[in-house]
Amino acid sequence: MANGRFDFTWFYVATAQCLRDSPTASPATGSYWVDMAKGSRARRSPWIGPVLLLTTASCGRIGFEPFASGGDGGTDGGDGGGDAVDAMACADPLMFAPQVSYPSGNSPTAVAVGNLDGTPGPDIVSANVLGANVVVRRNNGDGTFGPATGYPTGSQPIAVAIADVDQLLGPDLVVANQASDTISVLLNLGNGTFAPQVTYPAGGLDPYAVAIGKLNADAALDLAVVNYGSNTVSVLLNNGNGTFAAAVTYPTGMQPLSVAISPFDGGGSRDLVVANYASNTVSVLLNSGDGTFGGQMIYAIGSSPWSVGAADLDGDTLPDVVATNSGDATASVLINTGAGAFAPQVTYPTGANPHGLAIADLDLDGTRDVVVGNAAAATAGVLLNSGGAVFAAQLPFATETNPNGVAIADLNNDVAPDLVVANATTGTISVLIAICLP
């Protein structure tokens, strides 16, 4: 017995480097206390689920000790039981617990997170391209998730976004249906369940991604949709009640796959950036202030860009651009130089065939970091911002096969951002909980 419970068995694990380099013994499944032996605040946290038993002398020491449901808190100030995993401060790079996977339907290619029902913790929505539906899993409040609930969409739903488009009963769902050439809007009924879809013509062929944001002068949220088969981006303005006007289209590069909304020129109105797969470019379209857009400005990036996102990466308040390049396994960073113009790209290596992209401050240092879904490497790649929009080498974390969409949110209410990944081939969603912050 140790601390009045059970004998410790020690395994060496701690850092992201350790997770990459260590051989893996047989995974154990059960309930464990996790003691961090390294870091600025040693802390005991409960762990439920699979544990990787890793052995390498270069890793810090974590002890795994079975505990009874409810816990006794121990003599070392334990958490007193529970099912969550809390992030701890430690001296080494960011680290996530091994993935926990949830079945999600037929070929989920996109994932979004948001608090759909008003209870603690963001919920998960996946778009299942071969299932003609979206699947909602509601958060139990601790970063674990309840049963899946499916809602019909159009044919081949390829993307999903979450926002309160009718300004009534909570965040709603917006889905791009590639084979139907439509957009589905599913309004929240107020408890995390959704009304049947209302569909709108996308304005082009093969709509592949959708973004939500305020594009004109009213308070309602509008839609931007890229049309892969038409080489256009469509704008659907909100009528103010969660219904949408007919699409207005603007030319892009060839085979656009992704779109993001952000105020690039500092003028207050939100602009568009589009990733053009066959052109190896991004297009920036500046807003005229009323939800109409000028001609595209084109910037060269890497090979076969898949996803694009926007955020202030260098701390100057201007949103910068990040794109994943599936053809050359890189991420491109384009720094905003003012007035909606961008410096030439700087590229950073990722894993093979990066698809999905998400941006957030993962290590809570005040700078935004990048996560990519490496589809051919079965990893989520984390690129930490060292400051000034310079990124460290990728830290890969294992997912299931063919990770496409990625999302970031604090799923277990411990402040630290966690990862959610859509695995298209295995039909699952991977949840990776942050357990160690540098």
Side-chain angles (χ1 to χ4, degrees):
M1 301 283 285
N3 295 331
R5 287 194 286 269
F6 300 92
D7 292 331
F8 279 94
T9 302
W10 289 99
F11 300 94
Y12 285 91
V13 63
T15 67
Q17 184 67 40
C18 167
L19 284 177
R20 290 197 300 274
D21 295 345
S22 299
T24 304
S26 299
T29 302
S31 302
Y32 298 86
W33 288 111
V34 179
D35 277 349
M36 291 299 299
K38 301 182 71 174
S40 58
R41 60 182 182 99
R43 172 157 189 198
R44 173 161 288 190
S45 294
W47 179 301
I48 302 288
V51 177
L52 295 180
L53 310 183
L54 305 178
T55 54
T56 180
S58 64
C59 299
R61 192 169 67 171
I62 292 182
F64 296 97
E65 179 188 6
F67 70 96
S69 176
D72 63 7
T75 59
D76 58 352
D79 290 354
D83 294 343
V85 178
D86 292 329
M88 297 163 276
C90 45
D92 297 296
L94 185 73
M95 178 175 164
F96 293 88
Q99 63 175 320
V100 176
S101 294
Y102 296 86
S104 189
N106 197 346
S107 193
T109 54
V111 65
V113 292
N115 193 327
L116 302 176
D117 57 5
T119 62
D123 309 300
I124 295 175
V125 183
S126 62
N128 300 308
V129 68
L130 299 182
N133 67 359
V134 291
V135 166
V136 175
R137 281 190 181 269
R138 290 158 69 178
N139 198 320
N140 294 322
D142 59 1
T144 66
F145 293 85
T149 303
Y151 295 90
T153 63
S155 181
Q156 293 185 12
I158 194 75
V160 60
I162 299 174
D164 187 0
V165 297
D166 63 355
Q167 306 176 75
L168 286 176
L169 299 175
D172 310 301
L173 308 182
V174 180
V175 182
N177 304 303
Q178 184 182 11
S180 300
D181 299 332
T182 59
I183 300 299
S184 296
V185 176
L186 294 84
L187 296 179
N188 198 324
L189 298 177
N191 58 359
T193 63
F194 294 87
Q197 64 174 326
V198 176
T199 60
Y200 298 87
L205 301 177
D206 301 318
Y208 210 90
V210 60
I212 306 174
K214 192 166 78 71
L215 298 177
N216 59 4
D218 65 21
L221 295 172
D222 310 301
L223 309 181
V225 181
V226 287
N227 303 302
Y228 175 88
S230 299
N231 302 325
T232 58
V233 59
S234 299
V235 172
L236 291 80
L237 295 179
N238 197 321
N239 294 319
N241 59 359
T243 66
F244 292 88
V248 177
T249 61
Y250 300 88
T252 65
M254 294 180 62
Q255 297 178 359
L257 285 186
S258 181
V259 60
I261 297 173
S262 200
F264 294 120
D265 61 0
S269 57
R270 290 169 175 83
D271 311 303
L272 307 180
V273 61
V274 175
N276 303 305
Y277 179 82
S279 300
N280 299 331
T281 60
V282 291
S283 299
V284 175
L285 294 85
L286 296 181
N287 197 326
S288 301
D290 58 359
T292 63
F293 293 83
Q296 61 178 322
M297 296 181 290
I298 300 171
Y299 297 89
I301 56 172
S303 174
S304 305
W306 199 279
S307 294
V308 68
D312 177 15
L313 301 176
D314 57 1
D316 66 354
T317 74
L318 295 174
D320 309 300
V321 168
V322 183
T324 57
N325 303 307
S326 63
D328 58 16
T330 62
S332 294
V333 175
L334 293 84
I335 298 300
N336 194 327
T337 59
F342 293 84
Q345 67 167 337
V346 177
T347 60
Y348 296 89
T350 65
N353 201 14
H355 283 189
L357 171 69
I359 305 171
D361 183 4
L362 292 175
D363 53 4
L364 305 182
D365 68 349
T367 62
R368 291 179 174 89
D369 311 299
V370 171
V371 179
V372 301
N374 297 311
T379 60
V382 174
L383 291 83
L384 293 178
N385 193 332
S386 302
V390 176
F391 291 85
Q394 174 192 240
L395 301 172
F397 296 91
T399 65
E400 293 192 356
T401 307
N402 197 10
N404 273 257
V406 295
I408 302 171
D410 176 15
L411 301 176
N412 59 344
N413 301 300
D414 69 349
V415 180
D418 310 301
L419 307 183
V420 183
V421 181
N423 305 301
T425 299
T426 53
T428 58
I429 297 297
S430 293
V431 173
L432 294 86
I433 299 294
I435 59 172
C436 181
L437 299 178

